[in-house]
Amino acid sequence: MPSLHDNAPSTTRIRFARVEADRYDTHITRNLSSMRGQFVDEQAYRRLLAAGDALLYEVFEFKRPEVPGELLSGISVVHPGRVGDEYYMTKGHFHQVLETAEVYYCLSGRGMMVMETPEGEWSVKALEPGGILYVPPRWAHRSVNVGASEDLVTLFVYPAHAGHDYGTIERKGFRKLVVDRGNGPEVVDNPRWVS
Ligand code: F6R
Ligand code: ZN
């Protein structure tokens, strides 16, 4: 941010589009402090955290009974930014009931979904406005915002009894990371992935 006393030309972006649902039951917010150990560059993580506990993503959920036959849905908003060369991303999880799938529909922004199975397969797919991504049963999933300044906004729908297993990813990480090392988004091996 240029200071008031800086005499150089400068630009500022005003964000007009903020996606808000008319009605929702819960609003979950995830800040940098809740992502400890998830970004590879620990130094960059600590430096950023010292400057403030930035909001990385938000989820607006529409509640239903968490029983077979019901569906849970909501809107996920991942804000733009990076920790070191890694883009802001969600924690990521397996479903506790592993044999449950999920559909994501990208409403705006640019992102990537990083996925893997307990059997060792992995996949990274683009999330672009209008795109529908099907995450089959058994695939852990994490959304990553690769846009420079826009939110990544997706609608998700999944079986209400799925539940979430965050612990496996917290311990092992994902096999793949999405980073920007000066040439835009690239998928690289996670040097800290635990087999
Ligand atoms: C639900 C689901 C999404 C995510 C949301 C935030 O099964 O996949 O609603 O919960 O995108 O990501 P996490 O849950 O990984 O923090
Ligand atoms: Zn899920």
Side-chain angles (χ1 to χ4, degrees):
M1 207 44 155
S3 98
L4 281 178
H5 310 290
D6 190 343
N7 206 23
S10 69
T11 61
T12 300
R13 236 182 96 86
I14 296 171
R15 289 173 27 185
F16 292 98
R18 175 168 162 82
V19 173
E20 271 176 50
D22 258 14
R23 182 195 74 77
Y24 51 85
D25 299 304
T26 51
H27 176 203
I28 299 165
T29 55
R30 295 268 185 249
N31 290 63
L32 204 52
S33 58
S34 61
M35 298 286 282
R36 192 173 301 281
Q38 297 301 300
F39 291 97
V40 166
D41 187 341
E42 290 279 352
Q43 269 194 350
Y45 176 83
R46 277 197 298 271
R47 234 181 294 122
L48 263 187
L49 193 57
D53 194 6
L55 177 63
L56 267 52
Y57 65 97
E58 304 174 65
V59 184
F60 300 88
E61 291 179 316
F62 312 124
K63 283 290 185 199
R64 292 292 304 166
E66 296 182 9
V67 297
E70 290 281 355
L71 294 171
L72 292 184
S73 58
I75 305 286
S76 158
V77 180
V78 185
H79 297 297
R82 276 188 292 171
V83 177
D85 58 16
E86 246 180 303
Y87 294 100
Y88 281 7
M89 60 194 186
T90 59
K91 279 178 178 241
H93 57 263
F94 284 96
H95 289 167
Q96 215 159 20
V97 180
L98 205 52
E99 303 298 337
T100 52
E102 184 156 351
V103 170
Y104 277 84
Y105 178 62
C106 181
L107 298 166
S108 61
R110 269 184 70 219
M112 288 194 182
M113 188 69 85
V114 178
M115 294 166 282
E116 68 183 49
T117 65
E119 288 73 34
E121 300 149 283
W122 66 270
S123 173
V124 179
K125 296 280 184 211
L127 289 167
E128 280 159 4
I132 299 170
L133 172 71
Y134 183 71
V135 181
R138 305 186 76 74
W139 287 78
H141 40 285
R142 158 180 284 165
S143 28
V144 180
N145 184 348
V146 301
S149 54
E150 236 190 300
D151 288 339
L152 170 67
V153 185
T154 52
L155 166 79
F156 58 83
V157 185
Y158 65 103
H161 67 296
H164 294 100
D165 162 18
Y166 288 101
T168 306
I169 296 299
E170 274 166 12
R171 277 193 310 279
K172 297 161 63 107
F174 276 84
R175 287 172 169 80
K176 298 289 169 182
L177 308 175
V178 186
V179 298
D180 181 351
R181 293 181 176 159
N183 299 306
E186 57 178 306
V187 178
V188 298
D189 286 336
N190 178 358
R192 291 198 355 219
W193 183 72
V194 179
S195 62

